[in-house]
Amino acid sequence: MRWLRIERVLGLSCPLCGAPLDRPGLCIRCTNTLRAGRRHNLVFLGRYREYRRVVRALKFRGGRALVPPLARALAEGVREAGWDVEAVTAVPTTWWRIWRRGYNPAELLGRAIARELGVPYRRVLGRRYFRSQTRRPADLRASLPAGIFYLRRELPERRWLLVDDVWTTGATFRAVERALRAGGAEAVWGAVIAARRSS
Ligand SMILES: [Zn+2]
């Protein structure tokens, strides 16, 4: 299960438009038309409806081929926004998810965006595990338990880009932003693949 390849699950097709592919990734047409939108302090590539299969594909090993075009388009959106980003980090997932999957897709994307922007990627955040009180995914709840995210080290930079795969209610983003600001961050912007609803 750990290394289940995405094409066995979804077939080898473009996860955005469904066109048949001869290698994993996005089709040329989708690659060339990816463009980040912007809402307040967030850049994103599209609605969750359209990007659901892209987000899902990124959680599988074959989905890594999707990272470079997504990162290029998001980095371009950050440059267009004129944000003076000094460093990039990603929303951390729990250790057991990394163990099952082998990596954190948000971190993979964050590292690629940092390379595009020419700034460092820093693994500065940790995530505590809390036993869920409801069966709803953490992101759909209005707020997360206090202290769920924490800083693993002092922040070497002040202006951060925070990367995640999906923006749902913003609860995750706000919780991470609180941790970064408590550590001295002066600005926190966000970059995600898909936004689930308008804020
Ligand atoms: Zn396509």
Side-chain angles (χ1 to χ4, degrees):
M1 184 66 195
R2 188 172 172 194
W3 294 127
L4 189 59
R5 294 188 66 86
I6 189 64
E7 54 268 34
R8 289 212 194 123
V9 181
L10 300 177
L12 196 52
S13 62
C14 174
L16 203 45
C17 71
L21 295 177
D22 53 9
R23 55 179 173 81
L26 280 184
C27 75
I28 303 284
R29 203 178 63 91
C30 288
T31 299
N32 290 337
T33 52
L34 276 184
R35 213 178 134 66
R38 188 163 86 233
R39 201 164 59 205
H40 311 298
N41 58 348
L42 183 76
V43 291
F44 61 101
L45 295 175
R47 300 276 157 208
Y48 185 71
R49 271 199 311 279
E50 309 161 61
Y51 278 80
R52 195 178 43 206
R53 291 177 75 229
V54 173
V55 169
R56 190 167 170 225
L58 209 58
K59 295 188 191 328
F60 294 87
R61 200 182 190 186
R64 287 178 186 223
L66 292 165
V67 170
L70 300 175
R72 264 195 302 278
L74 286 168
E76 187 54 36
V78 169
R79 277 192 291 265
E80 278 173 14
W83 298 336
D84 180 20
V85 171
E86 291 177 332
V88 178
T89 195
V91 172
T93 186
T94 47
W95 64 266
W96 51 268
R97 276 196 204 133
I98 294 175
W99 176 78
R100 269 175 39 197
R101 199 177 283 155
Y103 65 96
N104 173 5
E107 181 173 328
L108 214 57
L109 188 62
R111 287 186 183 278
I113 293 173
R115 274 194 298 277
E116 290 284 334
L117 293 175
V119 298
Y121 179 91
R122 309 271 191 211
R123 196 184 251 184
V124 291
L125 293 155
R127 180 178 191 144
R128 295 188 180 92
Y129 177 72
F130 288 94
R131 188 176 285 272
S132 181
Q133 287 170 355
T134 73
R135 289 191 165 272
R136 306 188 72 191
D139 236 319
L140 294 176
R141 278 178 250 137
S143 64
L144 295 166
I148 187 167
F149 298 108
Y150 61 94
L151 291 183
R152 294 151 48 111
R153 48 178 284 202
E154 230 171 273
L155 294 182
E157 286 86 12
R158 292 282 167 264
R159 305 166 75 78
W160 290 83
L161 184 72
L162 175 61
V163 176
D164 203 357
D165 51 1
V166 181
W167 169 282
T168 304
T169 61
T172 300
F173 187 89
R174 283 190 297 273
V176 177
E177 184 179 4
R178 266 197 301 280
L180 288 170
R181 287 192 185 272
E186 287 162 6
V188 182
W189 298 284
V192 299
I193 298 166
R196 216 187 261 266
R197 58 165 94 151
S198 41
S199 56

